[in-house]
Amino acid sequence: MISEKSKEIIGNYIMNYNSFDIEGMVKLLHKEIIFRNFTNGEMNTETRGIQEFRELAEKSSKIFSSRRQTVIDYSAIDDKAEVQIEYEATLAVNLPNGLKSGDNIQLKGKSIFGLYEGKISLIEDYS
């Protein structure tokens, strides 16, 4: 079972993510935060520590004119929270894969959150 406090921390992180509030996101992170992004089962991004996370967050925030993660469900996996997510975004730039500025993206995926000392210490995004 996931504690209400953990849900609150994760919810605040997602709210800050949706509003491009990088400082708000970073305040919720443990100094040793590990972030990983997986697409089609393969890890394509990893950061370690707040500075690397902040740099990635600032870079990726410029790619979208809007973005929204919506939590569909929470479940506990060992000592972590697994969050089912619906994601939608509008691109602000053209991407090398052929997507163009103004295109909309819609994905379903999940995020795994680990918490330590009342802060988010692990985020793994899967899409």
Side-chain angles (χ1 to χ4, degrees):
M1 179 143 179
I2 300 163
S3 73
E4 288 304 312
K5 182 65 177 166
S6 293
K7 283 184 179 180
E8 179 184 340
I9 292 167
I10 293 166
N12 286 336
Y13 171 85
I14 291 171
M15 180 183 67
N16 290 327
Y17 174 90
N18 289 344
S19 62
F20 296 90
D21 182 355
I22 294 167
E23 286 307 311
M25 292 165 58
V26 167
K27 285 180 185 174
L28 298 167
L29 303 179
H30 190 274
K31 65 183 179 191
E32 302 296 327
I33 179 71
I34 296 171
F35 170 81
R36 297 181 183 114
N37 188 76
F38 295 84
T39 303
N40 298 323
E42 292 192 25
M43 184 173 66
N44 57 21
T45 306
E46 180 178 50
T47 67
R48 293 181 174 268
I50 284 184
Q51 188 56 39
E52 284 184 19
F53 181 93
R54 181 192 307 274
E55 289 169 11
L56 178 64
E58 288 172 353
K59 192 185 307 181
S60 63
S61 72
K62 293 174 174 61
I63 296 172
F64 303 102
S65 59
S66 69
R67 63 186 184 188
R68 178 157 202 79
Q69 289 187 11
T70 303
V71 174
I72 304 305
D73 192 27
Y74 287 92
S75 57
I77 306 293
D78 298 321
D79 61 341
K80 298 175 182 67
E82 180 175 298
V83 182
Q84 298 300 318
I85 300 277
E86 285 185 354
Y87 180 80
E88 56 186 290
T90 303
L91 290 172
V93 298
N94 296 336
L95 297 180
N97 65 4
L99 293 173
K100 303 218 175 301
S101 176
D103 284 354
N104 292 314
I105 299 170
Q106 291 188 320
L107 303 168
K108 289 186 183 205
K110 70 179 178 183
S111 294
I112 307 278
F113 289 90
L115 285 95
Y116 181 69
E117 299 176 339
K119 300 271 190 172
I120 298 171
S121 59
L122 173 72
I123 304 170
E124 292 182 338
D125 289 339
Y126 295 84
S127 61

mmCIF file of all heavy atoms in Angstrom, residues 12-28 57 61 67:
data_model
loop_
_atom_site.group_PDB
_atom_site.id
_atom_site.type_symbol
_atom_site.label_atom_id
_atom_site.label_comp_id
_atom_site.label_asym_id
_atom_site.label_seq_id
_atom_site.Cartn_x
_atom_site.Cartn_y
_atom_site.Cartn_z
ATOM 1 N N ASN A 12 2.472 16.178 -6.183
ATOM 2 C CA ASN A 12 3.074 17.514 -6.281
ATOM 3 C C ASN A 12 4.143 17.548 -7.372
ATOM 4 O O ASN A 12 4.258 18.530 -8.110
ATOM 5 C CB ASN A 12 3.666 17.943 -4.943
ATOM 6 C CG ASN A 12 2.600 18.332 -3.945
ATOM 7 O OD1 ASN A 12 1.482 18.704 -4.309
ATOM 8 N ND2 ASN A 12 2.925 18.233 -2.666
ATOM 9 N N TYR A 13 4.926 16.484 -7.480
ATOM 10 C CA TYR A 13 5.933 16.410 -8.533
ATOM 11 C C TYR A 13 5.261 16.495 -9.910
ATOM 12 O O TYR A 13 5.683 17.264 -10.770
ATOM 13 C CB TYR A 13 6.744 15.111 -8.407
ATOM 14 C CG TYR A 13 7.650 14.882 -9.585
ATOM 15 C CD1 TYR A 13 8.910 15.461 -9.632
ATOM 16 C CD2 TYR A 13 7.232 14.116 -10.670
ATOM 17 C CE1 TYR A 13 9.737 15.279 -10.738
ATOM 18 C CE2 TYR A 13 8.050 13.932 -11.771
ATOM 19 C CZ TYR A 13 9.288 14.510 -11.801
ATOM 20 O OH TYR A 13 10.097 14.341 -12.901
ATOM 21 N N ILE A 14 4.208 15.709 -10.116
ATOM 22 C CA ILE A 14 3.513 15.702 -11.412
ATOM 23 C C ILE A 14 2.865 17.055 -11.692
ATOM 24 O O ILE A 14 2.914 17.553 -12.824
ATOM 25 C CB ILE A 14 2.495 14.540 -11.471
ATOM 26 C CG1 ILE A 14 3.268 13.207 -11.521
ATOM 27 C CG2 ILE A 14 1.556 14.678 -12.668
ATOM 28 C CD1 ILE A 14 2.413 11.969 -11.373
ATOM 29 N N MET A 15 2.291 17.679 -10.673
ATOM 30 C CA MET A 15 1.699 19.009 -10.850
ATOM 31 C C MET A 15 2.775 20.015 -11.303
ATOM 32 O O MET A 15 2.558 20.799 -12.230
ATOM 33 C CB MET A 15 1.062 19.474 -9.539
ATOM 34 C CG MET A 15 0.419 20.850 -9.606
ATOM 35 S SD MET A 15 -0.246 21.383 -8.010
ATOM 36 C CE MET A 15 1.256 21.579 -7.065
ATOM 37 N N ASN A 16 3.948 19.965 -10.670
ATOM 38 C CA ASN A 16 5.039 20.861 -11.059
ATOM 39 C C ASN A 16 5.548 20.535 -12.463
ATOM 40 O O ASN A 16 5.858 21.439 -13.238
ATOM 41 C CB ASN A 16 6.183 20.787 -10.045
ATOM 42 C CG ASN A 16 5.819 21.419 -8.725
ATOM 43 O OD1 ASN A 16 5.066 22.383 -8.669
ATOM 44 N ND2 ASN A 16 6.324 20.865 -7.644
ATOM 45 N N TYR A 17 5.614 19.248 -12.798
ATOM 46 C CA TYR A 17 6.013 18.836 -14.145
ATOM 47 C C TYR A 17 5.046 19.420 -15.176
ATOM 48 O O TYR A 17 5.471 20.001 -16.171
ATOM 49 C CB TYR A 17 6.029 17.306 -14.235
ATOM 50 C CG TYR A 17 6.293 16.793 -15.624
ATOM 51 C CD1 TYR A 17 7.595 16.556 -16.064
ATOM 52 C CD2 TYR A 17 5.251 16.563 -16.522
ATOM 53 C CE1 TYR A 17 7.845 16.103 -17.354
ATOM 54 C CE2 TYR A 17 5.496 16.115 -17.808
ATOM 55 C CZ TYR A 17 6.790 15.882 -18.221
ATOM 56 O OH TYR A 17 7.027 15.449 -19.497
ATOM 57 N N ASN A 18 3.750 19.273 -14.932
ATOM 58 C CA ASN A 18 2.745 19.749 -15.882
ATOM 59 C C ASN A 18 2.821 21.260 -16.093
ATOM 60 O O ASN A 18 2.507 21.748 -17.173
ATOM 61 C CB ASN A 18 1.337 19.360 -15.414
ATOM 62 C CG ASN A 18 1.077 17.871 -15.543
ATOM 63 O OD1 ASN A 18 1.781 17.133 -16.226
ATOM 64 N ND2 ASN A 18 0.041 17.406 -14.855
ATOM 65 N N SER A 19 3.222 21.989 -15.066
ATOM 66 C CA SER A 19 3.268 23.453 -15.170
ATOM 67 C C SER A 19 4.682 23.976 -15.481
ATOM 68 O O SER A 19 4.928 25.175 -15.365
ATOM 69 C CB SER A 19 2.713 24.100 -13.901
ATOM 70 O OG SER A 19 3.504 23.747 -12.783
ATOM 71 N N PHE A 20 5.606 23.069 -15.863
ATOM 72 C CA PHE A 20 6.973 23.448 -16.221
ATOM 73 C C PHE A 20 7.706 24.125 -15.062
ATOM 74 O O PHE A 20 8.598 24.945 -15.282
ATOM 75 C CB PHE A 20 7.002 24.373 -17.451
ATOM 76 C CG PHE A 20 6.490 23.742 -18.721
ATOM 77 C CD1 PHE A 20 5.143 23.829 -19.059
ATOM 78 C CD2 PHE A 20 7.347 23.078 -19.573
ATOM 79 C CE1 PHE A 20 4.668 23.254 -20.233
ATOM 80 C CE2 PHE A 20 6.874 22.502 -20.753
ATOM 81 C CZ PHE A 20 5.533 22.582 -21.085
ATOM 82 N N ASP A 21 7.346 23.791 -13.823
ATOM 83 C CA ASP A 21 7.977 24.381 -12.637
ATOM 84 C C ASP A 21 9.165 23.501 -12.221
ATOM 85 O O ASP A 21 9.034 22.624 -11.366
ATOM 86 C CB ASP A 21 6.954 24.500 -11.510
ATOM 87 C CG ASP A 21 7.524 25.139 -10.255
ATOM 88 O OD1 ASP A 21 8.749 25.412 -10.197
ATOM 89 O OD2 ASP A 21 6.743 25.337 -9.296
ATOM 90 N N ILE A 22 10.299 23.746 -12.848
ATOM 91 C CA ILE A 22 11.474 22.915 -12.601
ATOM 92 C C ILE A 22 11.958 23.060 -11.165
ATOM 93 O O ILE A 22 12.312 22.078 -10.517
ATOM 94 C CB ILE A 22 12.586 23.230 -13.625
ATOM 95 C CG1 ILE A 22 12.098 22.799 -15.020
ATOM 96 C CG2 ILE A 22 13.891 22.530 -13.262
ATOM 97 C CD1 ILE A 22 12.924 23.302 -16.162
ATOM 98 N N GLU A 23 11.948 24.278 -10.631
ATOM 99 C CA GLU A 23 12.366 24.466 -9.237
ATOM 100 C C GLU A 23 11.457 23.689 -8.288
ATOM 101 O O GLU A 23 11.926 23.082 -7.331
ATOM 102 C CB GLU A 23 12.390 25.947 -8.863
ATOM 103 C CG GLU A 23 13.544 26.698 -9.459
ATOM 104 C CD GLU A 23 14.896 26.047 -9.175
ATOM 105 O OE1 GLU A 23 15.186 25.711 -8.011
ATOM 106 O OE2 GLU A 23 15.664 25.858 -10.133
ATOM 107 N N GLY A 24 10.151 23.712 -8.557
ATOM 108 C CA GLY A 24 9.206 22.953 -7.737
ATOM 109 C C GLY A 24 9.469 21.458 -7.814
ATOM 110 O O GLY A 24 9.366 20.747 -6.805
ATOM 111 N N MET A 25 9.822 20.970 -9.000
ATOM 112 C CA MET A 25 10.158 19.554 -9.168
ATOM 113 C C MET A 25 11.405 19.215 -8.358
ATOM 114 O O MET A 25 11.421 18.244 -7.596
ATOM 115 C CB MET A 25 10.404 19.228 -10.646
ATOM 116 C CG MET A 25 9.178 19.308 -11.529
ATOM 117 S SD MET A 25 9.555 19.351 -13.311
ATOM 118 C CE MET A 25 10.478 17.847 -13.564
ATOM 119 N N VAL A 26 12.438 20.019 -8.525
ATOM 120 C CA VAL A 26 13.734 19.740 -7.900
ATOM 121 C C VAL A 26 13.634 19.750 -6.375
ATOM 122 O O VAL A 26 14.290 18.953 -5.702
ATOM 123 C CB VAL A 26 14.796 20.734 -8.431
ATOM 124 C CG1 VAL A 26 16.062 20.693 -7.602
ATOM 125 C CG2 VAL A 26 15.092 20.449 -9.897
ATOM 126 N N LYS A 27 12.798 20.613 -5.820
ATOM 127 C CA LYS A 27 12.651 20.680 -4.358
ATOM 128 C C LYS A 27 12.142 19.369 -3.762
ATOM 129 O O LYS A 27 12.355 19.099 -2.583
ATOM 130 C CB LYS A 27 11.694 21.813 -3.973
ATOM 131 C CG LYS A 27 12.289 23.176 -4.103
ATOM 132 C CD LYS A 27 11.289 24.244 -3.712
ATOM 133 C CE LYS A 27 11.877 25.615 -3.969
ATOM 134 N NZ LYS A 27 10.909 26.681 -3.747
ATOM 135 N N LEU A 28 11.482 18.557 -4.580
ATOM 136 C CA LEU A 28 10.919 17.292 -4.102
ATOM 137 C C LEU A 28 11.892 16.126 -4.250
ATOM 138 O O LEU A 28 11.593 15.010 -3.838
ATOM 139 C CB LEU A 28 9.624 16.984 -4.860
ATOM 140 C CG LEU A 28 8.514 18.015 -4.658
ATOM 141 C CD1 LEU A 28 7.410 17.809 -5.677
ATOM 142 C CD2 LEU A 28 7.973 17.940 -3.239
ATOM 143 N N ALA A 57 15.782 18.388 -17.335
ATOM 144 C CA ALA A 57 14.444 18.979 -17.211
ATOM 145 C C ALA A 57 14.364 20.311 -17.947
ATOM 146 O O ALA A 57 13.366 20.600 -18.619
ATOM 147 C CB ALA A 57 14.084 19.152 -15.732
ATOM 148 N N SER A 61 12.029 20.801 -21.263
ATOM 149 C CA SER A 61 10.906 21.739 -21.144
ATOM 150 C C SER A 61 10.787 22.636 -22.371
ATOM 151 O O SER A 61 9.705 23.108 -22.698
ATOM 152 C CB SER A 61 11.026 22.589 -19.876
ATOM 153 O OG SER A 61 12.070 23.530 -20.004
ATOM 154 N N ARG A 67 2.262 20.216 -21.825
ATOM 155 C CA ARG A 67 2.402 18.800 -21.504
ATOM 156 C C ARG A 67 1.577 18.512 -20.264
ATOM 157 O O ARG A 67 1.390 19.388 -19.411
ATOM 158 C CB ARG A 67 3.863 18.416 -21.293
ATOM 159 C CG ARG A 67 4.520 19.122 -20.126
ATOM 160 C CD ARG A 67 5.985 18.813 -20.043
ATOM 161 N NE ARG A 67 6.577 19.427 -18.854
ATOM 162 C CZ ARG A 67 7.866 19.459 -18.589
ATOM 163 N NH1 ARG A 67 8.726 18.919 -19.438
ATOM 164 N NH2 ARG A 67 8.314 20.022 -17.484
#
